[in-house]
Amino acid sequence: MAVITISRQFGCGGEFVAEQVAEKLGFKLFHKELIKYIAILTDTDEAKVVKFDEESHSSFRSVMSNYFDADLFSNVFKDEKINKVQDMVKNDETLSFFDTYADQEPVFDSKKFSSMVELIIKNLATDTNCVIMGRGSQCILESEPNCFHIRLTAPLEDRIQWLRDNEKLDETKAEEKIKAIEKRKKSYIKHYYGKDIDDPAIYHAVFSLNRFSTEQMSDMIVACARSFLKF
């Protein structure tokens, strides 16, 4: 299957590019859906799982915890729960899960959490032509054939303006949020994969959105994908 991974600086509008790329190619887009899949497979509250996503990553939390059962990962895709995930992928369903749970605060052990993310991403990449947003997918699939890894960037001042326009933050709050989330994303990739998220060597191409509209950028990525990937 053909896979495009898209890593983006927070506030550059990369999620809109990813949506357009997926639509133009007829690929499925996986972004926040990955959190739902982890929640399903681990019977865990989605709101608790999201605390360990890349934009909320805490190295201290991931190192100091041990939530998942290690046996889960050896047969997770043989378990009946994976059928729920596969049905969601096939039917594009939006579901709501797990409103109430046990009282314990789930915290992810770093090795086990990364194993879960890797299993899901590799499974999707094996079965589905798709665009995958973030979650270290460029590292997880770095040695897999028929994958195209993209990094999207924009100048800080453009990203600040994007947050001011879309989240109604003042300039100071927008800059603080961007820097905080970028720090967490950088830490996430370093912690789990030992890579620098800003290293151009881990991508096939790095594009800046400051000179292009999202429509133009998506057209360029689609053209590259059609030339580079087999699908």
Side-chain angles (χ1 to χ4, degrees), residues 38 88 106-107 150 218:
I38 292 175
M88 287 178 68
V107 187
I150 301 293
S218 64

PDB file of all heavy atoms in Angstrom, residues 38 88 106-107 150 218:
ATOM      1  N   ILE A  38      -6.346   3.469  19.803  1.00  0.00           N
ATOM      2  CA  ILE A  38      -5.640   3.049  21.013  1.00  0.00           C
ATOM      3  C   ILE A  38      -6.638   2.889  22.160  1.00  0.00           C
ATOM      4  O   ILE A  38      -6.567   1.935  22.939  1.00  0.00           O
ATOM      5  CB  ILE A  38      -4.537   4.056  21.382  1.00  0.00           C
ATOM      6  CG1 ILE A  38      -3.420   4.025  20.333  1.00  0.00           C
ATOM      7  CG2 ILE A  38      -3.965   3.747  22.769  1.00  0.00           C
ATOM      8  CD1 ILE A  38      -2.348   5.067  20.548  1.00  0.00           C
ATOM      9  N   MET A  88     -14.156   0.743  11.573  1.00  0.00           N
ATOM     10  CA  MET A  88     -14.133   2.204  11.521  1.00  0.00           C
ATOM     11  C   MET A  88     -13.388   2.687  10.289  1.00  0.00           C
ATOM     12  O   MET A  88     -13.814   3.615   9.599  1.00  0.00           O
ATOM     13  CB  MET A  88     -13.468   2.768  12.777  1.00  0.00           C
ATOM     14  CG  MET A  88     -14.304   2.660  14.029  1.00  0.00           C
ATOM     15  SD  MET A  88     -13.406   3.286  15.472  1.00  0.00           S
ATOM     16  CE  MET A  88     -13.315   5.033  15.068  1.00  0.00           C
ATOM     17  N   PRO A 106      -4.599   6.192  34.161  1.00  0.00           N
ATOM     18  CA  PRO A 106      -3.725   5.452  33.266  1.00  0.00           C
ATOM     19  C   PRO A 106      -2.569   6.323  32.788  1.00  0.00           C
ATOM     20  O   PRO A 106      -2.762   7.443  32.362  1.00  0.00           O
ATOM     21  CB  PRO A 106      -4.651   5.098  32.097  1.00  0.00           C
ATOM     22  CG  PRO A 106      -5.662   6.176  32.081  1.00  0.00           C
ATOM     23  CD  PRO A 106      -5.844   6.588  33.509  1.00  0.00           C
ATOM     24  N   VAL A 107      -1.387   5.781  32.896  1.00  0.00           N
ATOM     25  CA  VAL A 107      -0.214   6.469  32.403  1.00  0.00           C
ATOM     26  C   VAL A 107       0.600   5.466  31.610  1.00  0.00           C
ATOM     27  O   VAL A 107       0.719   4.322  31.997  1.00  0.00           O
ATOM     28  CB  VAL A 107       0.633   7.034  33.567  1.00  0.00           C
ATOM     29  CG1 VAL A 107       1.760   7.881  33.048  1.00  0.00           C
ATOM     30  CG2 VAL A 107      -0.225   7.816  34.539  1.00  0.00           C
ATOM     31  N   ILE A 150       6.884  13.663   4.490  1.00  0.00           N
ATOM     32  CA  ILE A 150       6.839  15.101   4.251  1.00  0.00           C
ATOM     33  C   ILE A 150       6.926  15.871   5.572  1.00  0.00           C
ATOM     34  O   ILE A 150       6.341  15.465   6.580  1.00  0.00           O
ATOM     35  CB  ILE A 150       5.517  15.499   3.548  1.00  0.00           C
ATOM     36  CG1 ILE A 150       5.365  14.766   2.214  1.00  0.00           C
ATOM     37  CG2 ILE A 150       5.436  17.012   3.350  1.00  0.00           C
ATOM     38  CD1 ILE A 150       6.361  15.160   1.175  1.00  0.00           C
ATOM     39  N   SER A 218      -0.936  21.202  -1.471  1.00  0.00           N
ATOM     40  CA  SER A 218      -1.493  19.856  -1.626  1.00  0.00           C
ATOM     41  C   SER A 218      -1.313  19.365  -3.055  1.00  0.00           C
ATOM     42  O   SER A 218      -1.032  18.187  -3.281  1.00  0.00           O
ATOM     43  CB  SER A 218      -2.966  19.828  -1.221  1.00  0.00           C
ATOM     44  OG  SER A 218      -3.761  20.626  -2.067  1.00  0.00           O
TER      45      SER A 218
END
